[in-house]
Amino acid sequence: VDMALAESLFVIINTHHDIEKDYLYPDKAHLDNSKRYLTAIWEQVAPVFVEYDEHLIMESMNEPRLTGTPIEWNLDPNDPRSAEAVQCINELNQVFVDIVRGTGGNNTSRYLLVPGYAASVQGCLHDDFLMPADTGGVNDRLLLSVHAYTPYDFALQSPKEKGSRDNFKADNPFDVEEIAKFMNQLYDKFTPQNVPIVIGEFGCRDKGGNLQSRVDFTAVYVALARARGFSCFWWDNHAFSGDGEVFGILDRKTFAFTYPDIAQALVQYSR
């Protein structure tokens, strides 16, 4: 954290890869335990950073969801577990805000980031999803966390799967519309509430050297986001080869961008 802040960067810290029944699991059967776990984490982490300035942002959870169920990634309005999970996430986000604010110092007014179900667009747009309430006198300091690999068939779907595609064109209105649609939905719901949106994960995986399509996608995505006041973060998992989720753009061993054209698009079109 100190190294990043010394370079005038912003830093987001969160819990991660703990969405399991022994830790965080958004259903009523595990809600009490999830609250105890989340409380224990942030009661210890938040005081460490209590005097850090607003360049440090704390995020409650990463992609809270019902792992191991048919609705893990996509809520089903006909499945009562969907609404229950959304409501549990509301409660967990509130616990997080209350705990962090209660540690005092700069944490009383620090920007805090919270997700909806699976940090998905669908989860945030769900009728039962609510932003937590902030403490008295603190206004406009809560941010919404969204992860969106859209369009899915291009950005995230494995090339081994039927329906996957490797092409995206900035001048194709059908490609652009799918991104604009979900961003408009988020904007229309949360901007009137003075809730800024952070797209904490986005990107498009390499599919056999489709660099120009990836550059086009990046330029369109960040430009549409910035036009609506959203900030975007590319999910760089440092993977450059193989048939998995190949999202790497910065080689952390050589400190050089393997895909400088993508990096340039990220900077140029987010201004």
Side-chain angles (χ1 to χ4, degrees):
V1 170
D2 290 340
M3 290 172 62
L5 295 181
E7 298 296 330
S8 299
L9 298 172
F10 283 82
V11 176
I12 299 173
I13 56 175
N14 67 7
T15 68
H16 218 90
H17 294 305
D18 53 359
I19 309 301
E20 301 178 11
K21 293 179 179 179
D22 289 340
Y23 305 102
L24 276 174
Y25 201 78
D27 66 7
K28 289 183 179 178
H30 299 88
L31 183 58
D32 287 343
N33 184 68
S34 297
K35 288 182 177 180
R36 284 193 295 270
Y37 172 79
L38 200 66
T39 297
I41 291 291
W42 289 107
E43 280 184 342
Q44 296 174 76
V45 174
V48 174
F49 299 100
V50 70
E51 297 304 329
Y52 283 59
D53 69 15
E54 63 182 16
H55 286 82
L56 176 69
I57 298 168
M58 297 178 183
E59 180 180 15
S60 59
M61 303 171 282
N62 176 70
E63 297 179 349
R65 61 197 189 277
L66 299 178
T67 56
T69 71
I71 59 171
E72 177 172 0
W73 294 109
N74 296 288
L75 293 170
D76 180 352
N78 297 314
D79 190 325
R81 292 176 298 181
S82 293
E84 178 182 311
V86 172
Q87 293 160 8
C88 287
I89 290 168
N90 291 342
E91 292 192 41
L92 291 168
N93 280 331
Q94 189 64 61
V95 166
F96 161 74
V97 170
D98 293 344
I99 291 296
V100 174
R101 293 291 188 240
T103 58
N106 288 338
N107 288 342
T108 59
S109 59
R110 180 178 311 287
Y111 284 104
L112 301 180
L113 187 59
V114 298
Y117 184 88
S120 66
V121 173
Q122 182 197 33
C124 295
L125 295 176
H126 193 280
D127 288 342
D128 289 335
F129 175 72
L130 299 172
M131 291 292 292
D134 217 332
T135 53
V138 179
N139 298 309
D140 303 332
R141 289 279 169 160
L142 300 181
L143 315 173
L144 178 66
S145 174
V146 180
H147 297 176
Y149 296 91
T150 303
Y152 171 78
D153 57 356
F154 170 76
L156 185 58
Q157 188 176 24
S158 169
K160 293 182 176 180
E161 296 178 1
K162 184 179 180 180
S164 175
R165 62 184 173 103
D166 61 5
N167 61 297
F168 183 101
K169 293 185 180 298
D171 59 359
N172 183 333
F174 296 102
D175 286 346
V176 175
E177 175 59 24
E178 190 167 353
I179 299 172
K181 180 179 179 180
F182 89 78
M183 290 188 180
N184 286 340
Q185 290 173 318
L186 291 171
Y187 182 91
D188 291 344
K189 178 176 180 178
F190 292 100
T191 299
Q193 302 178 38
N194 293 322
V195 176
I197 292 172
V198 175
I199 300 180
E201 283 189 26
F202 93 103
C204 54
R205 59 197 287 174
D206 177 64
K207 294 185 178 181
N210 58 334
L211 179 58
Q212 188 56 55
S213 286
R214 299 176 79 200
V215 172
D216 278 20
F217 164 84
T218 304
V220 166
Y221 199 107
V222 297
L224 291 174
R226 177 51 64 203
R228 292 157 179 78
F230 303 170
S231 294
C232 299
F233 295 83
W234 181 280
W235 179 249
D236 187 337
N237 61 354
H238 205 244
F240 298 97
S241 61
D243 57 4
E245 295 185 355
V246 184
F247 282 99
I249 60 173
L250 174 67
D251 190 323
R252 298 168 197 165
K253 296 179 181 178
T254 64
F255 308 111
F257 281 104
T258 302
Y259 298 107
D261 291 344
I262 294 177
Q264 179 61 32
L266 286 167
V267 174
Q268 179 176 346
Y269 290 95
S270 63
R271 289 173 177 164

mmCIF file of all heavy atoms in Angstrom, residues 2-3 31 46 52-53 70 75 91 157 170 175 179 196 198 201 204 218 230 238 249 263:
data_model
loop_
_atom_site.group_PDB
_atom_site.id
_atom_site.type_symbol
_atom_site.label_atom_id
_atom_site.label_comp_id
_atom_site.label_asym_id
_atom_site.label_seq_id
_atom_site.Cartn_x
_atom_site.Cartn_y
_atom_site.Cartn_z
ATOM 1 N N ASP A 2 1.885 1.272 0.867
ATOM 2 C CA ASP A 2 2.755 2.445 0.951
ATOM 3 C C ASP A 2 3.496 2.691 -0.358
ATOM 4 O O ASP A 2 3.664 3.843 -0.778
ATOM 5 C CB ASP A 2 3.767 2.269 2.089
ATOM 6 C CG ASP A 2 3.112 2.339 3.456
ATOM 7 O OD1 ASP A 2 1.992 2.879 3.557
ATOM 8 O OD2 ASP A 2 3.726 1.859 4.430
ATOM 9 N N MET A 3 3.944 1.630 -0.993
ATOM 10 C CA MET A 3 4.651 1.778 -2.269
ATOM 11 C C MET A 3 3.752 2.414 -3.324
ATOM 12 O O MET A 3 4.179 3.282 -4.089
ATOM 13 C CB MET A 3 5.153 0.417 -2.761
ATOM 14 C CG MET A 3 6.290 -0.157 -1.935
ATOM 15 S SD MET A 3 6.684 -1.856 -2.409
ATOM 16 C CE MET A 3 7.191 -1.650 -4.113
ATOM 17 N N LEU A 31 -25.611 -16.313 7.759
ATOM 18 C CA LEU A 31 -25.485 -14.868 7.885
ATOM 19 C C LEU A 31 -24.790 -14.454 9.181
ATOM 20 O O LEU A 31 -23.912 -13.580 9.167
ATOM 21 C CB LEU A 31 -26.865 -14.210 7.794
ATOM 22 C CG LEU A 31 -26.873 -12.677 7.837
ATOM 23 C CD1 LEU A 31 -26.033 -12.096 6.717
ATOM 24 C CD2 LEU A 31 -28.311 -12.160 7.762
ATOM 25 N N ALA A 46 -9.010 -2.209 9.424
ATOM 26 C CA ALA A 46 -9.304 -0.775 9.348
ATOM 27 C C ALA A 46 -8.419 0.073 10.259
ATOM 28 O O ALA A 46 -7.922 1.122 9.828
ATOM 29 C CB ALA A 46 -10.785 -0.531 9.633
ATOM 30 N N TYR A 52 -4.461 6.960 7.056
ATOM 31 C CA TYR A 52 -4.210 7.103 5.624
ATOM 32 C C TYR A 52 -5.264 8.009 5.005
ATOM 33 O O TYR A 52 -6.416 8.015 5.439
ATOM 34 C CB TYR A 52 -4.216 5.741 4.936
ATOM 35 C CG TYR A 52 -2.959 4.932 5.152
ATOM 36 C CD1 TYR A 52 -2.532 4.581 6.437
ATOM 37 C CD2 TYR A 52 -2.195 4.508 4.074
ATOM 38 C CE1 TYR A 52 -1.384 3.847 6.635
ATOM 39 C CE2 TYR A 52 -1.032 3.760 4.265
ATOM 40 C CZ TYR A 52 -0.629 3.436 5.548
ATOM 41 O OH TYR A 52 0.515 2.712 5.736
ATOM 42 N N ASP A 53 -4.865 8.746 3.951
ATOM 43 C CA ASP A 53 -5.804 9.695 3.360
ATOM 44 C C ASP A 53 -6.742 9.007 2.366
ATOM 45 O O ASP A 53 -6.773 7.781 2.259
ATOM 46 C CB ASP A 53 -5.060 10.877 2.735
ATOM 47 C CG ASP A 53 -4.258 10.505 1.481
ATOM 48 O OD1 ASP A 53 -4.483 9.411 0.912
ATOM 49 O OD2 ASP A 53 -3.401 11.311 1.067
ATOM 50 N N PRO A 70 -26.798 -23.336 -8.685
ATOM 51 C CA PRO A 70 -27.105 -22.954 -10.071
ATOM 52 C C PRO A 70 -27.195 -21.449 -10.277
ATOM 53 O O PRO A 70 -27.132 -20.977 -11.415
ATOM 54 C CB PRO A 70 -28.456 -23.632 -10.337
ATOM 55 C CG PRO A 70 -28.524 -24.755 -9.361
ATOM 56 C CD PRO A 70 -27.811 -24.260 -8.143
ATOM 57 N N LEU A 75 -28.547 -14.536 -11.017
ATOM 58 C CA LEU A 75 -29.725 -14.646 -10.181
ATOM 59 C C LEU A 75 -30.924 -15.106 -11.001
ATOM 60 O O LEU A 75 -31.047 -14.785 -12.185
ATOM 61 C CB LEU A 75 -30.038 -13.295 -9.539
ATOM 62 C CG LEU A 75 -29.018 -12.787 -8.512
ATOM 63 C CD1 LEU A 75 -29.321 -11.344 -8.149
ATOM 64 C CD2 LEU A 75 -29.013 -13.670 -7.271
ATOM 65 N N GLU A 91 -27.142 -6.527 4.323
ATOM 66 C CA GLU A 91 -26.809 -6.526 5.746
ATOM 67 C C GLU A 91 -25.301 -6.583 5.958
ATOM 68 O O GLU A 91 -24.756 -5.897 6.845
ATOM 69 C CB GLU A 91 -27.491 -7.698 6.458
ATOM 70 C CG GLU A 91 -29.005 -7.580 6.524
ATOM 71 C CD GLU A 91 -29.620 -8.597 7.472
ATOM 72 O OE1 GLU A 91 -29.030 -8.811 8.559
ATOM 73 O OE2 GLU A 91 -30.665 -9.178 7.119
ATOM 74 N N GLN A 157 -15.754 -15.326 -22.294
ATOM 75 C CA GLN A 157 -16.060 -16.715 -22.629
ATOM 76 C C GLN A 157 -14.852 -17.416 -23.246
ATOM 77 O O GLN A 157 -14.134 -16.850 -24.072
ATOM 78 C CB GLN A 157 -17.237 -16.787 -23.590
ATOM 79 C CG GLN A 157 -17.734 -18.212 -23.838
ATOM 80 C CD GLN A 157 -18.968 -18.233 -24.720
ATOM 81 O OE1 GLN A 157 -19.215 -17.312 -25.491
ATOM 82 N NE2 GLN A 157 -19.764 -19.294 -24.610
ATOM 83 N N ALA A 170 -14.929 -1.185 -32.968
ATOM 84 C CA ALA A 170 -15.398 0.050 -32.358
ATOM 85 C C ALA A 170 -16.485 0.732 -33.183
ATOM 86 O O ALA A 170 -17.292 1.496 -32.646
ATOM 87 C CB ALA A 170 -14.227 1.001 -32.139
ATOM 88 N N ASP A 175 -21.859 -4.039 -31.230
ATOM 89 C CA ASP A 175 -20.845 -4.266 -30.209
ATOM 90 C C ASP A 175 -20.898 -3.176 -29.144
ATOM 91 O O ASP A 175 -20.848 -3.444 -27.940
ATOM 92 C CB ASP A 175 -19.450 -4.299 -30.836
ATOM 93 C CG ASP A 175 -19.176 -5.581 -31.604
ATOM 94 O OD1 ASP A 175 -19.944 -6.553 -31.436
ATOM 95 O OD2 ASP A 175 -18.192 -5.618 -32.374
ATOM 96 N N ILE A 179 -22.447 -2.716 -24.393
ATOM 97 C CA ILE A 179 -21.739 -2.074 -23.296
ATOM 98 C C ILE A 179 -22.510 -0.850 -22.809
ATOM 99 O O ILE A 179 -22.709 -0.651 -21.607
ATOM 100 C CB ILE A 179 -20.314 -1.684 -23.726
ATOM 101 C CG1 ILE A 179 -19.526 -2.922 -24.134
ATOM 102 C CG2 ILE A 179 -19.597 -0.929 -22.615
ATOM 103 C CD1 ILE A 179 -18.164 -2.619 -24.752
ATOM 104 N N PRO A 196 -21.318 7.108 -6.857
ATOM 105 C CA PRO A 196 -20.359 6.879 -7.945
ATOM 106 C C PRO A 196 -20.130 5.389 -8.156
ATOM 107 O O PRO A 196 -20.230 4.589 -7.214
ATOM 108 C CB PRO A 196 -19.081 7.568 -7.447
ATOM 109 C CG PRO A 196 -19.533 8.495 -6.367
ATOM 110 C CD PRO A 196 -20.709 7.826 -5.736
ATOM 111 N N VAL A 198 -17.649 2.289 -9.552
ATOM 112 C CA VAL A 198 -16.304 1.823 -9.868
ATOM 113 C C VAL A 198 -16.413 0.447 -10.516
ATOM 114 O O VAL A 198 -16.911 -0.500 -9.884
ATOM 115 C CB VAL A 198 -15.428 1.733 -8.601
ATOM 116 C CG1 VAL A 198 -14.061 1.128 -8.930
ATOM 117 C CG2 VAL A 198 -15.266 3.105 -7.959
ATOM 118 N N GLU A 201 -13.467 -4.563 -12.070
ATOM 119 C CA GLU A 201 -12.908 -5.588 -12.960
ATOM 120 C C GLU A 201 -13.568 -5.463 -14.324
ATOM 121 O O GLU A 201 -14.802 -5.447 -14.436
ATOM 122 C CB GLU A 201 -13.151 -7.010 -12.442
ATOM 123 C CG GLU A 201 -12.259 -7.439 -11.309
ATOM 124 C CD GLU A 201 -12.406 -8.926 -11.000
ATOM 125 O OE1 GLU A 201 -12.776 -9.693 -11.925
ATOM 126 O OE2 GLU A 201 -12.175 -9.314 -9.844
ATOM 127 N N CYS A 204 -10.655 -8.026 -21.558
ATOM 128 C CA CYS A 204 -10.982 -9.031 -22.565
ATOM 129 C C CYS A 204 -9.761 -9.920 -22.740
ATOM 130 O O CYS A 204 -8.637 -9.436 -22.873
ATOM 131 C CB CYS A 204 -11.393 -8.386 -23.888
ATOM 132 S SG CYS A 204 -10.218 -7.201 -24.566
ATOM 133 N N THR A 218 -11.289 -1.984 -25.606
ATOM 134 C CA THR A 218 -10.811 -1.179 -24.482
ATOM 135 C C THR A 218 -11.163 0.286 -24.668
ATOM 136 O O THR A 218 -11.649 0.954 -23.746
ATOM 137 C CB THR A 218 -9.289 -1.339 -24.327
ATOM 138 O OG1 THR A 218 -8.966 -2.725 -24.188
ATOM 139 C CG2 THR A 218 -8.783 -0.570 -23.118
ATOM 140 N N PHE A 230 -17.911 6.908 -14.646
ATOM 141 C CA PHE A 230 -17.438 5.673 -14.033
ATOM 142 C C PHE A 230 -15.915 5.578 -14.170
ATOM 143 O O PHE A 230 -15.336 6.056 -15.148
ATOM 144 C CB PHE A 230 -18.034 4.432 -14.708
ATOM 145 C CG PHE A 230 -19.528 4.372 -14.744
ATOM 146 C CD1 PHE A 230 -20.167 3.398 -15.506
ATOM 147 C CD2 PHE A 230 -20.320 5.276 -14.045
ATOM 148 C CE1 PHE A 230 -21.548 3.325 -15.559
ATOM 149 C CE2 PHE A 230 -21.700 5.211 -14.097
ATOM 150 C CZ PHE A 230 -22.317 4.232 -14.866
ATOM 151 N N HIS A 238 -1.835 -11.299 -14.878
ATOM 152 C CA HIS A 238 -0.458 -11.656 -15.251
ATOM 153 C C HIS A 238 -0.404 -12.979 -16.014
ATOM 154 O O HIS A 238 0.586 -13.717 -15.949
ATOM 155 C CB HIS A 238 0.450 -11.705 -14.018
ATOM 156 C CG HIS A 238 1.888 -11.469 -14.332
ATOM 157 N ND1 HIS A 238 2.877 -12.422 -14.136
ATOM 158 C CD2 HIS A 238 2.527 -10.395 -14.849
ATOM 159 C CE1 HIS A 238 4.046 -11.944 -14.510
ATOM 160 N NE2 HIS A 238 3.874 -10.699 -14.945
ATOM 161 N N ILE A 249 -1.554 -7.755 -19.221
ATOM 162 C CA ILE A 249 -1.064 -6.725 -20.151
ATOM 163 C C ILE A 249 0.258 -6.123 -19.667
ATOM 164 O O ILE A 249 1.041 -5.639 -20.467
ATOM 165 C CB ILE A 249 -2.091 -5.602 -20.404
ATOM 166 C CG1 ILE A 249 -2.473 -4.883 -19.117
ATOM 167 C CG2 ILE A 249 -3.330 -6.163 -21.092
ATOM 168 C CD1 ILE A 249 -3.362 -3.654 -19.350
ATOM 169 N N ALA A 263 -2.764 -0.614 -23.130
ATOM 170 C CA ALA A 263 -2.489 0.334 -22.053
ATOM 171 C C ALA A 263 -2.744 1.764 -22.517
ATOM 172 O O ALA A 263 -3.316 2.579 -21.779
ATOM 173 C CB ALA A 263 -1.046 0.176 -21.573
#
